[in-house]
Amino acid sequence: MAPFTTLPASEPEAPSLPWWKALWARLCAKPAHPRLFVLLSLLLGPLVTLYATQVVWLQSLWKPFPWMVLHLPAVGLFWLLFSSVSLTLYGFIRRLFPAFIPEVGLFMGVAVSSRYKFDINGMPIQLSDFTLIENLGEVTSFAAKQLIPPVMTVLGVVVAAILTETLRRKETWKPGWKPGLVLGLVSGAVCACAFFPGPLQSAAVALDQDCMDQIERSERSGVVLGLYTAWAQRQAEARGESDGYYLGLAQRFREESRAPGEALPLDQAPDIVFVTSESFFDITRLSGLYFADDPLPTYHALAEQGTSGAFLSNNYGGGTGNVEMEMFTALSKNFLLEGDSLCTLDSAFYRDVPSTVRTLKKAGYQTISVHSYTDELYGRRSNYPAIGFDQLVFQDDFLTQPVIDGAYISDVSFAQELIARYEARDPSAPCFLYGMSMENHQAYEAGKYDTPSGYPAACAGMSQEDLAIVDALVHGLHGADESLKLLTDYFSQVDRPVLLVFVGDHLPSINLNDGVSLYTHLRCSPTDNAADWDAETLKEILSTNYLIWSNYETEPAPDRDESCTFLGLHVLERAGVPLGSYFTWLSQNITPSMLQVRGRLFVDQEGAPSYSPTPQQRQVQEAYAALEKAMVYDSFTAVDAELEE
């Protein structure tokens, strides 16, 4: 009888894994060809990182693919710069994970920060933002509810995290130290070339050519590389030399600015009240938005009596401090080096630069500024006295009891403080009273105010949730209109001649619930991307509104467009204040042909916008830019003979 035998037991089947666990296991499995894996990682890692940053910036998983195909020069330059860093680290460390993680972390941080900033005020991270890094908490507090990461931002970070974690788990091979050292030295040399004049900077400058702002750079070069192209453009501009003639002019203007002036007789110097109203504009001009009752009755009534029109800002959605300083100095933000702003230049510049404030002070004016917020932004605490203000008032210095409406001091309360400061002035001298309001500052969201505006808007195709956002804007605009009424009612009764200037600093950045701007919804702009706008659209988005009213003029000046560059100059002329040689030079040589320059946009003295200025207009623009470069950046070495040319 055959012995009893047992059949071998079959092994139990392994339980099937969920698809995501199976995918992760495959990603983490050791590669069959380690050297090939390392090579492919070094080649493709920069492209995956670029894709992840563009996912965050474009808020889409799919849009980065066609963008990368259509922008191959930018992709190539990004790959080269990223690889020069990663290969340098890899050569010395000989491990993929630590070679990639610094760049991935830095670039994703830039992408996320830029997306946040764009969502808050319509502009990505710029070079000049790094000078305001200490005010980050103050800036983000304006829109804390917008700091919740959008889904695509989270997905972009996840893509970058998967890349680095995969590298950490799969790497099983590293080169010897001698090949690694050679690789690190060669790649380090390439990396160093990015910081000196040469092919890499030239390629970056070529990508940056004619870019109007950081939004356009982000569209052309990507959200991360756009910062490098801006920096390269700055280096190229800084290497240029100024014309000796303009150096001489700049020296003369700045020396005259420091010299004492001659006070005007009191009866020949009207008091000037200049109010910059946060994000004020005539909302009724937006086609497709309808109101049963006028939310700006005072502005519209006074516009019929005084001088009014479009006001061209140097910014959209933010940057109030730069708008103010351009109004005060008649220098254009447009011609500063990339990374500089009119609020962050060397302190010597502010002490010497000719300004409307110092011109008024030399003419015998008291100069008082009032801001219904803190002194923490734009260096106002130090810059204002340097350009000529005698007295600075911030919210903690108010003589009146401030009233909060929404998140900030109401514009009516702000107007009451202006009146209190006017009454507390020295009546033996003329007064220049400057005010910057705050109530209508972003963010605009349903529930910003305790009560609705009382002026509900109607718009076909817009939801009630969107209209509630619009109503927050209308509430702030109506508050500004009420403050204007309070001021004109008061100054119409005083026994001194008063010239009142009321202007919106920039158009507000306001997105509806789908993340698209109000202006795109109303077809004021074809898209949210400035690169797609024609000259008329760009002028419209840069335009707010202004009003000049007086209690003494028998006939107001005709309506016209104004700009932040030359409004201050025109106010001096209208008030009869001696201009000095700097403002006289601008009045004679620049303003007859030019109203505003912003990137590639040129607006002539009649308010006509163009991307193609005439040869004569281009010559005027170049003269203005040359003087500004000499005023702001260059030492004064011109001889007296050059002043006489």
Side-chain angles (χ1 to χ4, degrees):
M1 180 177 180
F4 176 78
T5 59
T6 58
L7 295 175
S10 60
E11 295 184 3
E13 291 186 9
S16 60
L17 294 174
W19 68 268
W20 57 272
K21 284 189 176 181
L23 177 61
W24 183 247
R26 183 174 293 273
L27 286 174
C28 297
K30 300 303 181 183
H33 304 284
R35 294 190 183 192
L36 179 61
F37 171 78
V38 169
L39 177 61
L40 289 176
S41 297
L42 292 171
L43 291 173
L44 300 180
L47 300 181
V48 176
T49 305
L50 175 59
Y51 168 78
T53 60
Q54 290 300 98
V55 166
V56 174
W57 174 245
L58 298 175
Q59 292 295 284
S60 169
L61 287 172
W62 312 115
K63 289 181 181 179
F65 291 115
W67 182 90
M68 293 170 73
V69 171
L70 295 173
H71 296 82
L72 290 178
V75 172
L77 184 57
F78 180 94
W79 184 92
L80 185 59
L81 292 174
F82 186 105
S83 295
S84 68
V85 178
S86 60
L87 289 174
T88 300
L89 294 175
Y90 181 72
F92 293 129
I93 303 171
R94 295 179 295 146
R95 301 294 296 178
L96 282 174
F97 178 75
F100 272 92
I101 195 64
E103 307 92 279
V104 174
L106 175 62
F107 293 167
M108 290 305 297
V110 168
V112 172
S113 299
S114 288
R115 187 66 219 185
Y116 274 146
K117 186 169 180 284
F118 181 79
D119 289 340
I120 291 171
N121 70 3
M123 185 63 65
I125 293 288
Q126 309 173 83
L127 289 183
S128 58
D129 291 328
F130 293 100
T131 63
L132 301 173
I133 195 67
E134 69 274 11
N135 298 131
L136 180 62
E138 198 72 26
V139 173
T140 55
S141 69
F142 293 143
K145 292 184 179 179
Q146 290 177 259
L147 296 180
I148 300 172
V151 173
M152 290 303 165
T153 298
V154 174
L155 289 176
V157 173
V158 168
V159 169
I162 290 174
L163 167 67
T164 53
E165 179 65 10
T166 301
L167 297 177
R168 187 181 72 83
R169 288 175 174 265
K170 289 178 75 75
E171 186 174 14
T172 59
W173 175 85
K174 62 180 181 180
W177 68 267
K178 288 184 179 180
L181 181 61
V182 172
L183 178 63
L185 291 174
V186 172
S187 300
V190 174
C191 182
C193 289
F195 299 96
F196 297 95
L200 291 180
Q201 283 196 20
S202 298
V205 170
L207 286 174
D208 194 73
Q209 195 69 33
D210 297 325
C211 280
M212 187 190 71
D213 54 27
Q214 203 61 35
I215 296 178
E216 192 166 342
R217 289 189 181 96
S218 297
E219 167 59 27
R220 186 180 296 184
S221 302
V223 66
V224 175
L225 185 64
L227 282 173
Y228 176 73
T229 64
W231 178 84
Q233 182 67 38
R234 174 190 172 91
Q235 304 310 304
E237 291 172 353
R239 289 191 291 270
E241 296 184 0
S242 289
D243 183 282
Y245 171 71
Y246 293 104
L247 285 171
L249 280 181
Q251 181 178 11
R252 189 176 97 193
F253 295 157
R254 296 184 73 164
E255 287 178 349
E256 183 186 271
S257 177
R258 294 192 295 267
E262 183 176 348
L264 290 172
L266 185 61
D267 61 353
Q268 296 180 23
D271 293 331
I272 301 173
V273 180
F274 195 121
V275 177
T276 301
S277 183
E278 175 62 46
S279 297
F280 177 84
F281 75 110
D282 184 0
I283 194 171
T284 64
R285 83 187 199 204
L286 297 181
S287 177
L289 211 56
Y290 304 98
F291 298 91
D293 298 304
D294 187 356
L296 307 175
T298 303
Y299 171 79
H300 288 135
L302 294 175
E304 294 294 324
Q305 305 170 22
T307 305
S308 63
F311 172 81
L312 277 81
S313 177
N314 61 22
N315 248 329
Y316 153 67
T320 299
N322 280 291
V323 179
E324 291 178 302
M325 293 299 284
E326 191 159 322
M327 288 193 296
F328 293 146
T329 65
L331 295 171
S332 173
K333 169 191 170 185
N334 192 73
F335 299 119
L336 297 178
L337 297 181
E338 286 298 331
D340 285 343
S341 77
L342 287 168
C343 303
T344 58
L345 296 169
D346 185 85
S347 58
F349 164 79
Y350 301 109
R351 291 194 298 269
D352 294 346
V353 64
S355 72
T356 55
V357 187
R358 185 173 287 116
T359 300
L360 288 163
K361 186 174 180 177
K362 292 172 66 172
Y365 277 75
Q366 306 162 70
T367 54
I368 307 168
S369 74
V370 179
H371 180 34
S372 56
Y373 196 57
T374 69
D375 63 349
E376 297 194 26
L377 294 177
Y378 299 114
R380 291 184 175 104
R381 178 67 73 178
S382 58
N383 294 345
Y384 276 15
I387 64 171
F389 278 110
D390 294 321
Q391 186 177 359
L392 276 62
V393 178
F394 296 99
Q395 64 180 18
D396 292 338
D397 308 313
F398 272 30
L399 298 174
T400 58
Q401 182 61 43
V403 175
I404 304 298
D405 196 8
Y408 309 104
I409 292 176
S410 76
D411 278 6
V412 168
S413 187
F414 162 70
Q416 291 169 342
E417 179 67 18
L418 289 176
I419 292 171
R421 292 290 170 173
Y422 183 81
E423 292 180 340
R425 79 197 189 283
D426 178 1
S428 66
C431 176
F432 174 60
L433 179 61
Y434 173 75
M436 175 68 227
S437 75
M438 194 67 182
E439 178 188 341
N440 194 39
H441 199 286
Q442 59 187 344
Y444 308 99
E445 55 195 7
K448 178 179 180 180
Y449 296 94
D450 294 336
T451 60
S453 69
Y455 297 87
C459 181
M462 196 174 289
S463 69
Q464 290 302 311
E465 290 78 9
D466 288 339
L467 290 173
I469 295 174
V470 173
D471 195 64
L473 173 62
V474 174
H475 193 296
L477 293 173
H478 182 67
D481 190 75
E482 288 184 314
S483 74
L484 178 60
K485 183 178 190 307
L486 186 62
L487 291 171
T488 51
D489 285 350
Y490 172 80
F491 286 113
S492 64
Q493 303 299 318
V494 302
D495 58 2
R496 281 277 298 152
V498 176
L499 187 69
L500 173 67
V501 182
F502 188 87
V503 60
D505 55 347
H506 53 70
L507 212 61
S509 174
I510 175 169
N511 291 341
L512 302 185
N513 282 295
D514 59 2
V516 178
S517 79
L518 171 67
Y519 315 109
T520 302
H521 272 280
L522 297 177
R523 303 183 188 279
C524 300
S525 60
T527 70
D528 285 354
N529 186 357
D532 298 331
W533 301 344
D534 59 20
E536 287 285 352
T537 300
L538 180 55
K539 181 194 173 187
E540 177 73 9
I541 297 299
L542 289 174
S543 295
T544 64
N545 296 88
Y546 82 97
L547 167 74
I548 300 179
W549 169 92
S550 80
N551 64 357
Y552 66 93
E553 293 175 320
T554 57
E555 191 69 31
D559 291 347
R560 55 165 294 168
D561 287 352
E562 280 288 359
S563 72
C564 63
T565 318
F566 299 124
L567 177 59
L569 164 59
H570 293 152
V571 170
L572 293 179
E573 290 177 326
R574 186 156 173 173
V577 177
L579 298 181
S581 59
Y582 169 65
F583 288 109
T584 298
W585 186 88
L586 291 174
S587 181
Q588 293 175 350
N589 296 281
I590 305 301
T591 61
S593 301
M594 187 182 86
L595 182 62
Q596 174 82 308
V597 174
R598 180 70 172 90
R600 64 184 183 276
L601 177 70
F602 184 96
V603 183
D604 69 17
Q605 76 281 8
E606 299 298 328
S610 172
Y611 286 156
S612 303
T614 66
Q616 190 270 337
Q617 290 171 338
R618 192 174 295 279
Q619 185 177 14
V620 169
Q621 177 178 326
E622 290 171 353
Y624 176 54
L627 176 66
E628 178 165 327
K629 184 177 188 297
M631 289 277 288
V632 177
Y633 294 108
D634 294 315
S635 60
F636 303 130
T637 58
V639 295
D640 292 342
E642 290 176 313
L643 296 175
E644 303 300 325
E645 290 182 15

